[in-house]
Amino acid sequence: MLKIGCHLSVSKGFYEMGKQAVSINANTIQFFTRNPRGGSAKEIDEEDVRKFKELAKENKIEVLLAHAPYTLNACAATENIRNFAKNTMEDDLKRMEYFPGNYYNFHPGSHVGQGVDIGINYIVEMLNEIIKPEQHTKILLETMAGKGSEIGRNFEEIKEIMDRVELKEHIGVCLDTCHIFDGGYDIVNKLDEVIDEFDKIIGLKNLYAIHLNDSMNTLESHKDRHAKIGEGKIGIEAITRIINHPKLRNLPFFLETPNELEGYGKEIALLRSKYEE
Ligand code: FE
Ligand code: FE
Ligand code: ZN
């Protein structure tokens, strides 16, 4: 069965979020751990978590992917901003211990003119400070479109970060289809080659999740504007090949397309109809 879901809001609690997922036939869920612009997270309500877990079990919701606020920048030029990223991620990981065995995705960061090397140094330093041997959450580095000074614009940059993380069993990758297409990886015409390249550089065993998005812009545009499935430059045929690819088809997929709940429901139904059982 295709593991697919979408980005949902946890602002009304985990149980309400779970009910939304069930209503659109999703069996994965991504959510922002807090307001995407930062700020403090809601207190965990243990009863809410218990009810959510029951619902998830009944409905075979298998994977939870928490997404760090996208404004976090672990490699900012100012110490304040870097500390904020670190404290936020530490706090998020503490909360994720209520959901052992799931994933936490973050954008590596933007080096804002300091250069890739300095940026990567900061990211690695932060990861080595916050990753604990006893944690039960896998931290995923997201592949980025290379907008501005974003780090993670190619597989090599992601690989370098991973290589320098000490507790490697707690780190992995989330591949975003819109981002890598914008980054210059031609998943429309050369999907096999792109997957082979990923395998050669990062290793497919390190790939844990896919953000499934179409892109408003062309190959190598470095723009990062997500489109609805089938309405962008990647298109439904390429996306169908992606969800059915033997090396990807068992991974959890997460839609981050510009949709409300109803639109997500339609995309999930469409993609389920395209999946070869
Ligand atoms: Fe993201
Ligand atoms: Fe993404
Ligand atoms: Zn994006």
Side-chain angles (χ1 to χ4, degrees):
M1 179 135 103
L2 178 61
K3 292 188 197 112
I4 189 156
C6 63
H7 195 92
L8 293 173
S9 167
V10 75
S11 63
K12 294 197 179 89
F14 285 95
Y15 181 61
E16 284 304 316
M17 182 174 78
K19 284 204 297 197
Q20 287 200 338
V22 171
S23 79
I24 55 170
N25 203 12
N27 51 358
T28 70
I29 304 174
Q30 175 172 267
F31 63 98
F32 280 125
T33 53
R34 59 193 72 220
N35 182 309
R37 301 201 171 277
S40 57
K42 251 175 73 179
E43 275 308 310
I44 291 270
D45 171 351
E46 295 195 15
E47 177 59 13
D48 175 46
V49 170
R50 192 193 61 74
K51 277 165 62 189
F52 168 78
K53 285 185 177 171
E54 215 174 83
L55 181 78
K57 200 171 164 196
E58 273 166 25
N59 292 280
K60 299 197 164 53
I61 293 173
E62 290 185 0
V63 196
L64 270 186
L65 177 57
H67 195 306
Y70 51 74
T71 46
L72 286 201
N73 190 3
C75 57
T78 349
E79 201 183 351
N80 263 349
I81 303 178
R82 292 196 303 272
N83 282 338
F84 177 72
K86 182 181 158 223
N87 295 336
T88 301
M89 280 184 61
E90 243 172 354
D91 186 54
D92 284 348
L93 287 172
K94 223 184 283 165
R95 287 158 194 283
M96 283 304 286
E97 287 299 305
Y98 283 93
F99 308 94
N102 286 291
Y103 306 137
Y104 180 73
N105 172 83
F106 82 109
H107 297 177
S110 293
H111 66 69
V112 290
Q114 301 171 97
V116 176
D117 292 348
I118 290 178
I120 288 181
N121 285 345
Y122 281 134
I123 297 163
V124 168
E125 199 179 298
M126 180 195 73
L127 287 170
N128 283 331
E129 279 173 37
I130 65 170
I131 298 177
K132 303 280 179 288
E134 66 275 15
Q135 75 182 49
H136 298 90
T137 301
K138 184 95 57 190
I139 299 177
L140 306 184
L141 293 154
E142 181 168 353
T143 59
M144 301 309 293
K147 194 175 66 179
S149 63
E150 273 173 355
I151 290 183
R153 58 192 290 129
N154 55 41
F155 299 159
E156 286 81 0
E157 289 182 9
I158 299 277
K159 165 72 171 165
E160 189 180 344
I161 298 170
M162 294 183 68
D163 275 349
R164 292 170 54 193
V165 167
E166 284 153 19
L167 297 169
K168 292 189 174 36
E169 67 273 29
H170 296 308
I171 195 106
V173 176
C174 172
L175 184 143
D176 187 309
T177 54
C178 166
H179 295 176
I180 66 166
F181 184 68
D182 281 23
Y185 294 97
D186 190 356
I187 51 177
V188 175
N189 300 303
K190 296 177 179 161
L191 180 61
D192 281 323
E193 284 96 320
V194 173
I195 293 173
D196 284 350
E197 191 174 344
F198 184 98
D199 194 26
K200 214 172 67 202
I201 297 168
I202 296 176
L204 277 168
K205 65 174 197 306
N206 294 308
L207 180 59
Y208 289 90
I210 296 191
H211 283 165
L212 192 65
N213 303 306
D214 212 325
S215 174
M216 287 190 187
N217 297 101
T218 47
L219 183 70
E220 222 176 332
S221 60
H222 303 294
K223 290 256 175 51
D224 190 5
R225 299 276 311 279
H226 301 190
K228 292 183 184 178
I229 298 300
E231 294 185 14
K233 304 287 188 205
I234 298 176
I236 188 65
E237 271 137 47
I239 288 172
T240 301
R241 287 193 291 273
I242 291 169
I243 59 172
N244 285 297
H245 195 283
K247 290 181 175 164
L248 307 178
R249 55 181 287 118
N250 293 317
L251 289 165
F253 293 89
F254 302 85
L255 297 163
E256 300 175 308
T257 45
N259 276 305
E260 301 295 331
L261 193 63
E262 197 193 333
Y264 277 134
K266 283 187 187 149
E267 289 188 349
I268 289 171
L270 169 68
L271 292 162
R272 289 200 186 286
S273 78
K274 300 282 184 190
Y275 191 67
E276 293 150 21
E277 293 297 342

